[in-house]
């Protein structure tokens, strides 16, 4: 097992490098980069086309008389001083070739230097740490609730396949599949957060403003009071698929020959179900927990964060993409890709924990 883990860890390096190369090239070639973003902000603030804008000793931009540039490769830069445009390129590192910028970026990442945001004037690490509590809260509680609901429900549907219970719960599963999480979130806001009916839950933030003044029991209650609606909206959109996966996995195992043999030996239905079927059926479901957590944590909460005014990693990544904030985009991509690859390894190792008969040492990687 140790040799397998070492091989997988070594494979992470080229995989992560390929992810970064592809995304770096695609994003760099996309229009509307940070230089164009800054030019658009400056010209939108009424900067004269005949003025040159330079940085003073305090780091502020200052307009100076200058020549006009009638042909620029940046959209909206016509009429700006060429020296000012070159200064913007130096400011954002675009005065260097593409491959040099990539090598320097990866070198900094290896040294755990993720740079500073172009438009927030803060270190990327500080931004991620600041937004992390919201995303971790949504990810952990949503994943746990989805599994706690889906596994018993899926097992019950498999055992009672074709019964009235199976039919009615299938209606619930279909509704959960058909209704997007963000649409359910809007409905919760309208009904329970002061939209049109009740005003039972808050609509903004992870905790109340006076949270630090509360005692610990009240702090915990306030935290879950704020998280109730967002988590409910995410659970409704995530439990349906896992429920059906659990049911189908159990049905597949129940029809196996070893189950028939166990029943023929006189074992009780509970012994057959939880002593033999459960471990085999839950292999794919439980082993996928790390990947499911990463998926919910970093990709499934953007619209929920927007609707409930939660400032998390999803919103941070969306704003970075809109503003072409490259340090935030690439640093978070690097970190989350690395975390995802490590979680895939953890998921594979969980197979051996659930079923010791699985031996990755005998597999060719």
């Amino acid at each position: 097992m140790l040799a397998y883990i070492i091989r997988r860890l070594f494979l992470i390096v080229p995989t992560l490098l390929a992810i970064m190369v592809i995304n770096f090239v695609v994003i760099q070639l996309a229009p509307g980069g940070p230089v164009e973003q800054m030019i658009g902000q400056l010209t939108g603030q009424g900067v004269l086309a005949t003025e040159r804008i330079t940085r003073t000793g305090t780091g502020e931009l200052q307009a100076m008389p200058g020549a006009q540039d009638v042909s620029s490769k940046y959209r909206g830069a016509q009429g700006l001083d060429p020296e000012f445009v070159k200064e913007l390129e130096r400011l954002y590192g675009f005065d260097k070739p593409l491959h040099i910028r990539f090598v320097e970026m990866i070198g900094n990442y290896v040294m755990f230097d993720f740079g500073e945001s172009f438009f927030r004037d803060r270190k990327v690490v500080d931004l991620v740490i600041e937004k992390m509590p919201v995303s971790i809260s949504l990810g952990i509680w949503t994943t746990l609730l989805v599994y706690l609901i889906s596994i018993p429900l899926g097992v019950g549907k498999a055992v009672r396949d074709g019964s009235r219970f199976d039919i009615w719960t299938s209606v619930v599963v279909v509704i959960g599949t058909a209704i997007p999480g963000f649409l359910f979130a809007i409905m919760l806001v309208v009904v329970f957060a002061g939209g049109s009916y009740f005003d039972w839950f808050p609509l903004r933030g992870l905790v109340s403003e006076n949270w630090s003044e509360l005692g610990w029991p009240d702090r915990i209650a306030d935290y879950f009071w704020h998280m109730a609606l967002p988590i409910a909206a995410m659970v409704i959109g995530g439990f349906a698929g896992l429920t059906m996966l659990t049911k189908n996995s159990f049905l597949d195992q129940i029809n196996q020959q070893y189950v028939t043999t166990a029943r023929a030996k006189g074992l009780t239905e509970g012994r057959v179900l939880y002593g033999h079927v459960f471990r085999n059926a839950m292999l794919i479901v439980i082993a996928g927990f790390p990947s499911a957590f990463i998926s919910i944590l970093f990709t499934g909460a953007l619209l929920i964060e927007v609707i409930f005014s939660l400032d998390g990693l999803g919103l941070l990544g969306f704003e970075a993409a809109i503003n072409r904030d490259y340090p935030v985009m690439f640093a978070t991509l690097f970190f989350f890709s690395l975390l995802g690859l490590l979680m895939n390894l953890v998921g594979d190792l969980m197979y051996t924990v659930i079923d010791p008969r699985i031996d990755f040492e005998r597999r060719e990687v």
Side-chain angles (χ1 to χ4, degrees), residues 18 33 66 123 144 147 194 229 232 243 279 309-310 316 334 342 346:
K123 291 184 177 180
L144 288 177
Y147 270 77
L229 295 186
T243 298
R279 184 177 65 180
S309 300
L310 297 171
L316 174 67
F334 177 86
L342 291 175
V346 173

Side-chain angles (χ1 to χ4, degrees), residues 39-54:
I39 290 174
Q41 292 183 18
L42 294 174
T43 54
Q45 293 174 0
V47 177
L48 296 177
T50 57
E51 292 180 336
R52 180 168 60 91
I53 305 172
T54 58

Side-chain angles (χ1 to χ4, degrees), residues 139-150 235 289 293 296:
I140 288 179
W141 297 119
T142 300
T143 306
L144 288 177
L145 286 176
V146 165
Y147 270 77
L148 288 175
I149 294 172
S150 299
V235 168
F289 182 89
F293 172 70
I296 294 175

